[in-house]
Amino acid sequence: MLLQPDAHVDPYLEILRLGVEHEDLEAREVVVTLALDGALVTGVVISTAAWEWLHLRQLEGYHDPLRRVLRDAAGHLDDAAVKGRRRRQVDSRFLHLRDVTHTVGRTTYTLPTWRGPITAVSGWSLGEPAKV
């Protein structure tokens, strides 16, 4: 299971995640490459709020009930936060990236955004792999 409660997070990766959440580091274009279960995932680290905004923009092209449900749920959370009834919480279990390259073996995929459990990361590095 990817979201194991007893899993340990690399403290340096956690510092990077916290920095992005609280210091707006995504403007600095911090690129990381993550090793996850035999794959490499490379992208710019972004905050949860930035990921949510991009994710909702991606849903705008869909004309189905899922898009409406997700947008309504996010809207209710925003309204409650504004009215002080509930504070939006950042789920520290996840890391968010944009402008993503996902490589498995010799196959590479590009994705606009990525959200994955930080405990699934088995290794990481700043920057992207060089082409050899």
Side-chain angles (χ1 to χ4, degrees):
M1 180 176 179
L2 292 177
L3 296 175
Q4 298 174 9
D6 61 342
H8 298 283
V9 175
D10 179 292
Y12 297 103
L13 186 57
E14 178 64 4
I15 288 168
L16 181 60
R17 187 195 65 76
L18 286 170
V20 170
E21 291 294 347
H22 301 290
E23 299 292 329
D24 195 25
L25 285 178
E26 62 258 23
R28 296 186 189 168
E29 302 289 316
V30 178
V31 176
V32 296
T33 297
L34 312 171
L36 294 119
D37 210 17
L40 290 180
V41 177
T42 301
V44 177
V45 183
I46 58 174
S47 67
T48 302
W51 177 84
E52 286 178 350
W53 187 86
L54 290 168
H55 182 67
L56 290 174
R57 297 299 96 43
Q58 287 176 277
L59 290 174
E60 287 177 354
Y62 292 92
H63 299 289
D64 58 40
L66 174 63
R67 179 189 66 141
R68 192 172 42 243
V69 167
L70 291 173
R71 290 183 65 78
D72 288 349
H76 288 304
L77 288 173
D78 286 337
D79 290 345
V82 167
K83 294 175 184 172
R85 293 193 315 253
R86 179 178 173 179
R87 203 174 119 229
R88 295 234 14 212
Q89 297 290 322
V90 171
D91 191 339
S92 63
R93 298 176 301 166
F94 295 95
L95 189 63
H96 302 91
L97 305 176
R98 69 170 168 78
D99 302 329
V100 176
T101 301
H102 185 271
T103 304
V104 181
R106 294 183 180 185
T107 306
T108 299
Y109 306 93
T110 58
L111 303 164
T113 60
W114 180 88
R115 171 181 166 102
I118 197 167
T119 57
V121 176
S122 58
W124 67 281
S125 179
L126 290 174
E128 56 187 283
K131 294 182 173 46
V132 262

